[in-house]
Amino acid sequence: MKRLFTSVFLFGAIFCLTACSSPMGGSSVRENRLGCAFSSPVTMSLDKMNAEGTITRLGDAEWTAEFDSPNTLSGVKLTFSGGSVTADYKGLTFSVPKSALPVKAMLGNLIEAVDTTARESELHGRENEGSFEISGSLEGGDYTLILDSSGYIAGFDMPNNLLHISFTDVQVRGGAVVPEAESVTSAPVETAPTTTEVSGG
């Protein structure tokens, strides 16, 4: 009886240790797929303003945001390139309108968070019901970057700024860019020559 009790106790202790070491809700590591170019419809809430549009990442520090709503932003396209921001409306380029300045600032936070994280060799965050949450801090405030089960962006939150951005249908436009620190020179891939048949007449 004593031996049985000891066995049950040991089994329980091992089970508890295993459960405590599992990553359920704890910190976790994932492959980094944020370095890709992508495009996605988005919905954004910033304080009392709600906006819809499409955000496109072309590469590091190269982004665009086109708005469908509200009326004050509809048709406006913001282009972020190398730290500068330009706006255009129906092909006419102009300085960023006053109505878009708060959005410009918040998108700047999104871009900085994603581009900085995309340079990491791997992602460190927390699993949360199928999504992966990465927390960080910028000059503009604390943020949470939310990835979907495939490792692509699904949301961006900055609670102190009353900002939430949801990405609803991410379309990857290119392969992931390997972070500079991890880049490896690979041998050229040989491709088989293609031949074109010419039918005689």
Side-chain angles (χ1 to χ4, degrees), residues 152-164:
Y152 300 116
I153 189 168
F156 181 72
D157 289 326
M158 294 189 78
N160 291 342
N161 293 305
L162 303 178
L163 171 70
H164 175 72

Side-chain angles (χ1 to χ4, degrees), residues 34 108-118 138 143 145 156:
L34 281 177
N109 288 323
L110 165 71
I111 291 168
E112 184 179 354
V114 173
D115 285 349
T116 300
T117 306
L138 301 170
Y143 69 85
L145 189 60
F156 181 72

Side-chain angles (χ1 to χ4, degrees), residues 20 113 123 136 147 161 167 173 200:
C20 290
L123 302 179
L147 309 184
N161 293 305
F167 295 75
R173 298 161 61 101

Side-chain angles (χ1 to χ4, degrees), residues 42-198:
V42 296
T43 57
M44 175 191 300
S45 60
L46 174 60
D47 197 0
K48 297 178 181 179
M49 185 197 77
N50 295 308
E52 295 183 352
T54 300
I55 288 179
T56 301
R57 183 182 193 264
L58 302 171
D60 189 73
E62 302 289 333
W63 295 63
T64 64
E66 300 181 64
F67 296 94
D68 300 321
S69 67
N71 290 336
T72 52
L73 291 176
S74 180
V76 173
K77 176 181 178 181
L78 299 180
T79 299
F80 298 77
S81 180
S84 63
V85 186
T86 57
D88 69 70
Y89 179 77
K90 295 184 177 180
L92 298 176
T93 303
F94 51 90
S95 59
V96 178
K98 186 176 180 180
S99 60
L101 288 177
V103 173
K104 169 196 164 188
M106 292 303 103
L107 288 178
N109 288 323
L110 165 71
I111 291 168
E112 184 179 354
V114 173
D115 285 349
T116 300
T117 306
R119 300 184 194 113
E120 301 293 331
S121 57
E122 57 186 14
L123 302 179
H124 296 265
R126 182 175 71 93
E127 300 285 350
N128 185 11
E129 298 181 356
S131 63
F132 189 71
E133 299 179 351
I134 303 169
S135 299
S137 183
L138 301 170
E139 187 176 338
D142 295 336
Y143 69 85
T144 300
L145 189 60
I146 305 164
L147 309 184
D148 62 19
S149 58
S150 298
Y152 300 116
I153 189 168
F156 181 72
D157 289 326
M158 294 189 78
N160 291 342
N161 293 305
L162 303 178
L163 171 70
H164 175 72
I165 304 176
S166 292
F167 295 75
T168 55
D169 183 21
V170 174
Q171 299 294 318
V172 178
R173 298 161 61 101
V177 178
V178 180
E180 285 186 23
E182 301 293 322
S183 61
V184 178
T185 303
S186 57
V189 178
E190 294 185 6
T191 56
T194 56
T195 57
T196 306
E197 290 186 6
V198 179

